[in-house]
Amino acid sequence: MSAARVVLWRHGQTGHNAADRFQGQLDVPLDDVGRRQAHRAAEMLRGLAPTRIVSSDLSRAADTAAALAALTGLVVETDTALRELFAGQWQGLTRAEIESRWPQEFAAWRGGDDVPVGGGERRSEAGRRAAAAIGRHAAATPDGGVLVVTGHGGALRGAMLHLLALPLAAWSAFGGLANTHWALLVPRGTGWSLAEYNVGPHGAHVGSEG
């Protein structure tokens, strides 16, 4: 590992977040609130002196990352492996619609079971995928650098558990990352330690993960 710090930064609000709709890998853009959130959070993150920005290629993440790039002069690199978990048939639906149509599956997911979300990916699968990508980018960041990874609530939380060597059962011990909030990881021995969690501008809410 070469990066001195890794910031896991969730994208700004979208219309689907506001309506409590599952996005998954749908390419839903930031809404006006999300764009303002991204600019406020970018002002805060600039103080960490980032040296690299890597983002999911989905526009809500890439456009959030672009707000930080505009302040720092850095180029946003995109990586499809940082996409949100694929939520299958649940994508685009509200929680109420999902619970009505798949009550048992929804209850299992809400209870923390590692089920294929909407017949798509499991939390563990999305977490491993994103964690592997973050590990690659951290290793490729020059010594002492600060890597900002811009992504999605579900994938980033799953990746964080993998990077901290925590079991998936620890999922519910962490609240969801609010829009444009982040977790800060620092190296410890051969692994990572959590230095900050759910830091960001006031007024953002969690919305749907996935």
Side-chain angles (χ1 to χ4, degrees):
M1 296 177 293
S2 296
R5 289 184 284 183
V6 174
V7 178
L8 306 182
W9 187 27
R10 188 185 178 200
H11 62 78
Q13 179 179 288
T14 69
H16 275 35
N17 288 148
D20 210 18
R21 291 185 181 275
F22 265 64
Q23 296 175 112
Q25 295 188 2
L26 297 178
D27 197 3
V28 183
L30 296 176
D31 61 16
D32 289 342
V33 171
R35 285 187 284 273
R36 290 194 296 270
Q37 290 172 338
H39 287 293
R40 289 199 302 269
E43 290 281 3
M44 296 173 68
L45 281 172
R46 178 166 58 172
L48 295 179
T51 55
R52 284 187 74 200
I53 307 172
V54 181
S55 173
S56 157
D57 66 322
L58 297 178
S59 62
R60 59 188 182 272
D63 289 347
T64 298
L68 181 59
L71 295 178
T72 60
L74 298 171
V75 174
V76 177
E77 307 166 51
T78 58
D79 188 338
T80 59
L82 295 172
R83 287 184 176 188
E84 182 59 292
L85 63 83
F86 174 59
Q89 298 177 79
W90 293 8
Q91 295 189 158
L93 301 181
T94 65
R95 287 179 179 242
E97 290 168 336
I98 295 166
E99 187 172 18
S100 174
R101 294 169 62 178
W102 296 277
Q104 293 181 337
E105 293 88 344
F106 184 75
W109 174 78
R110 285 293 301 273
D113 291 351
D114 193 26
V115 296
V117 180
E121 277 187 299
R122 301 175 187 271
R123 282 171 169 150
S124 59
E125 293 169 337
R128 282 194 298 270
R129 163 172 56 78
I134 293 165
R136 290 195 302 272
H137 292 297
T141 299
D143 287 343
V146 177
L147 170 66
V148 176
V149 177
T150 313
H152 311 269
L156 288 179
R157 184 152 40 148
M160 183 188 72
L161 293 180
H162 278 281
L163 293 169
L164 295 175
L166 294 174
L168 190 64
W171 181 279
S172 60
F174 293 89
L177 283 171
N179 289 119
T180 62
H181 282 50
W182 62 85
L184 176 63
L185 305 183
V186 295
R188 183 183 65 179
T190 59
W192 296 93
S193 177
L194 181 64
E196 297 179 347
Y197 188 72
N198 232 349
V199 180
H202 293 297
H205 75 296
V206 175
S208 288
E209 293 182 339

